[in-house]
Amino acid sequence: MTDEKTRKNLLSSLPKVDQVLAHPEIQAHSGTVAVMIVKAAVRAEIDLARKRVLSGEITARDDLALDQVASRAAARAIDMNKPRLRKVINATGVVLHTNLGRSPLPEEAIRQITLVASGYSNLEYDINSGKRGSRDDLIEKIICDLTGTESATVVNNNAAAVLLALNTMAKGAGVVVSRGELVEIGGAFRIPDVMAASGGRLVEVGTTNRTRIGDYEKAVDDDTALLMKVHTSNYQIVGFSEEASIEELVGLGKKKKLPVLVDLGSGSLMDLTRLGLTEHEPTAAEVVKSGADVVTFSGDKLLGGPQAGIIIGKSKFIEPIRKNPMKRALRVGKLTLAALETVLKIYMEPGLAAQNLPALKMISADKRSIAARARRFARTLDELPLEISFVSAISKVGGGALPLEDMPTTLMALEAEGLSAHDLEEQLRAQDPPVVGRIVDKKFCLDFRTVSTSELSALRSSIKAALQ
Ligand SMILES: *Cc1c(COP(=O)(O)O)cnc(C)c1O
């Protein structure tokens, strides 16, 4: 432990901000790193040095030398200058990983985003008439064509879509929902909470595992405005269970003159069993066909597009939704529209969607092709001090979609002398780009289902750096 006097001496030899700023190593970054970032980095390094003197961690003047502090401040400035929202390599095998940004976008969508972002666009301008247009007009037709609905509008995400639909259709009135469908999707999205925020009044019917159409009918009174069905995306009730079908709800709605709202959650635009999945996820078109008045779903779950909430249905319900002032607050920007339009257009040729949409391509990849890619990649790691093996496992769709669907995969397990699975996991996460994998049977594993070919060389560099 340093005594009071030594500490005082050390503190007085701390370099001053201006001295560090004038140091050549800091000056070398003046063109590439903003001055505010450089100053903040220098101050942070000096503060840190002061704290370390006070805690007794620094006891020698050498550690406070101007060269040393400048060099640490320069490294800190470079680090602070990196974007906080960064590219990550998802080797978890979870395709729609919500924490890792859900669906990757196809090249064409990225090109269209770039084009629209780099200049002006006809976002709200009708090129034919030279008058004001509506951003919904740009994609309404294609959504209608793909889902067989009358009208469509788009908001920031499906949570916003549900909030807006409820606020428009049932503010201050009763909404009948089955107890088995009062789901939490993750984060703050819980049906009862969204209902409360929308101004609708939740009328729960049935039980957790069984709800019949009669339960809805008994709950309807003069104050009821809406019948609602929520797709229990991320969990399933199995065993002794029963639910009312959309058709039954639509029948009841006709009898009682009440509209039916369906929160479809993921909302696929094609039959995913065509991609080899065993579970059938209802498509938006099927739900429209079954007579639902309004249907909401996400843009970045099984649809494989940008974050968005799509609201489709009968014009008489969509029009008021569009006019709700809340719509203005929840609407999407031009970059989202650019990507969404491109992705939707890919679905116009359903046979190609699985090839051209990264998320669908990853979902449809079979175990053999994943194993082959993993083995090919393993050969590029030959010279690294690694023990590589291959393990059969399952990958998941993620994003709260198809929780019971197990997609067979082959994992590449990495072991390195002197490093535990947790060490490896931590090291790979610390690289640029960070690599996120998973630990299975005490081994750190990569699932190539979610790693694209264009990421392989970056993955290799990150693995190499992690071992140093
Ligand atoms: C995912 C989901 C939501 C929320 O959708 P976001 O696009 O993430 O806002 C709402 N309802 C259901 C049933 C869902 O599965």
Side-chain angles (χ1 to χ4, degrees):
M1 197 56 205
T2 41
D3 61 34
E4 182 83 12
K5 196 162 158 229
T6 324
R7 273 206 300 263
K8 265 200 175 135
N9 269 333
L10 282 169
L11 286 177
S12 67
S13 69
L14 272 173
K16 303 276 172 290
V17 174
D18 288 340
Q19 280 178 304
V20 185
L21 282 173
H23 192 276
E25 208 173 324
I26 292 289
Q27 284 297 310
H29 297 290
S30 67
T32 44
V33 183
V35 65
M36 279 176 72
I37 294 176
V38 172
K39 277 189 183 158
V42 168
R43 284 207 184 93
E45 266 325 310
I46 295 174
D47 280 351
L48 184 64
R50 181 177 298 113
K51 281 203 188 98
R52 291 168 84 186
V53 168
L54 291 172
S55 70
E57 243 181 290
I58 289 182
T59 54
R61 211 172 260 265
D62 278 359
D63 293 329
L64 301 174
L66 181 57
D67 282 355
Q68 286 245 3
V69 176
S71 160
R72 290 198 297 260
R76 185 187 285 263
I78 290 168
D79 202 51
M80 284 167 70
N81 196 42
K82 284 185 188 153
R84 300 297 300 271
L85 181 59
R86 293 158 64 192
K87 181 185 169 56
V88 168
I89 293 179
N90 172 14
T92 63
V94 180
V95 178
L96 304 171
H97 201 303
T98 298
N99 302 147
L100 302 181
R102 286 198 187 149
S103 180
L105 292 174
E107 275 305 322
E108 291 150 88
I110 294 156
R111 276 201 298 276
Q112 201 55 27
I113 291 174
T114 309
L115 187 72
V116 168
S118 49
Y120 296 101
S121 59
N122 63 331
L123 179 64
E124 289 190 349
Y125 181 77
D126 181 348
I127 295 172
N128 286 329
S129 67
K131 296 206 171 88
R132 189 197 164 100
S134 141
R135 65 182 70 202
D136 273 352
D137 286 350
L138 301 168
I139 46 160
E140 181 167 24
K141 181 161 189 319
I142 189 164
I143 298 175
C144 292
D145 288 349
L146 288 169
T147 60
T149 194
E150 277 178 20
S151 279
T153 184
V154 180
V155 287
N156 184 48
N157 53 21
N158 188 36
V162 174
L163 179 71
L164 181 61
L166 286 172
N167 179 264
T168 314
M169 301 173 82
K171 191 176 174 194
V175 182
V176 190
V177 190
S178 161
R179 285 203 165 87
E181 296 173 4
L182 298 179
V183 296
E184 172 176 317
I185 300 303
F189 189 93
R190 290 173 145 192
I191 292 292
D193 298 345
V194 175
M195 185 74 72
S198 76
R201 190 169 51 75
L202 177 63
V203 181
E204 301 174 31
V205 297
T207 61
T208 305
N209 56 328
R210 305 194 95 189
T211 304
R212 301 177 194 83
I213 192 67
D215 296 322
Y216 290 84
E217 183 153 14
K218 264 186 268 158
V220 171
D221 59 22
D222 290 347
D223 189 40
T224 308
L226 187 64
L227 305 174
M228 183 184 190
K229 188 160 182 65
V230 182
H231 184 46
T232 56
S233 320
N234 57 1
Y235 86 115
Q236 265 178 34
I237 297 172
V238 293
F240 190 59
S241 66
E242 190 175 340
E243 62 177 312
S245 67
I246 296 172
E247 285 86 350
E248 284 178 301
L249 282 177
V250 169
L252 177 63
K254 287 224 167 81
K255 192 164 134 193
K256 302 279 185 185
K257 297 202 163 43
L258 290 172
V260 175
L261 167 68
V262 178
D263 171 11
L264 194 48
S266 197
S268 170
L269 289 184
M270 66 184 277
D271 178 6
L272 295 173
T273 57
R274 283 173 60 173
L275 306 185
L277 293 191
T278 50
E279 278 188 75
H280 177 72
E281 178 76 11
T283 66
E286 283 165 9
V287 178
V288 167
K289 207 166 174 187
S290 58
D293 295 287
V294 175
V295 185
T296 73
F297 52 99
S298 291
D300 58 350
K301 290 190 182 171
L302 286 168
L303 200 143
Q307 179 189 307
I310 301 172
I311 312 176
I312 59 176
K314 301 192 174 134
S315 303
K316 95 174 190 212
F317 299 108
I318 300 296
E319 271 319 309
I321 286 174
R322 239 197 280 279
K323 292 202 178 95
N324 186 331
M326 223 186 233
K327 162 66 168 44
R328 167 64 191 248
L330 301 173
R331 71 185 185 182
V332 284
K334 58 188 179 179
L335 306 188
T336 301
L337 284 171
L340 187 60
E341 185 190 8
T342 314
V343 167
L344 291 171
K345 206 168 269 160
I346 291 174
Y347 279 101
M348 299 299 262
E349 186 70 60
L352 293 181
Q355 280 309 305
N356 296 342
L357 288 171
L360 295 191
K361 202 169 164 187
M362 289 170 183
I363 287 171
S364 60
D366 67 6
K367 183 183 163 149
R368 279 235 313 278
S369 68
I370 296 168
R373 291 181 63 220
R375 283 175 199 282
R376 263 202 307 280
F377 180 74
R379 288 199 285 275
T380 71
L381 303 178
D382 267 352
E383 91 282 16
L384 298 179
L386 275 174
E387 182 83 41
I388 295 176
S389 54
F390 299 92
V391 212
S392 288
I394 52 169
S395 353
K396 286 290 190 180
V397 173
L402 298 166
L404 299 186
E405 185 79 42
D406 287 341
M407 301 182 287
T409 192
T410 301
L411 304 178
M412 183 171 122
L414 303 179
E415 288 167 282
E417 181 97 4
L419 291 177
S420 70
H422 283 283
D423 294 338
L424 258 182
E425 189 269 339
E426 209 173 288
Q427 281 303 317
L428 275 153
R429 204 156 28 81
Q431 301 310 317
D432 189 16
V435 177
V436 185
R438 60 180 150 134
I439 294 171
V440 179
D441 291 338
K442 302 209 175 90
K443 289 182 192 165
F444 178 77
C445 296
L446 304 175
D447 189 338
F448 281 77
R449 179 184 295 280
T450 47
V451 180
S452 79
T453 309
S454 63
E455 292 172 323
L456 293 178
S457 91
L459 175 60
R460 190 177 175 283
S461 308
S462 287
I463 293 175
K464 202 170 163 190
L467 294 171
Q468 271 159 14

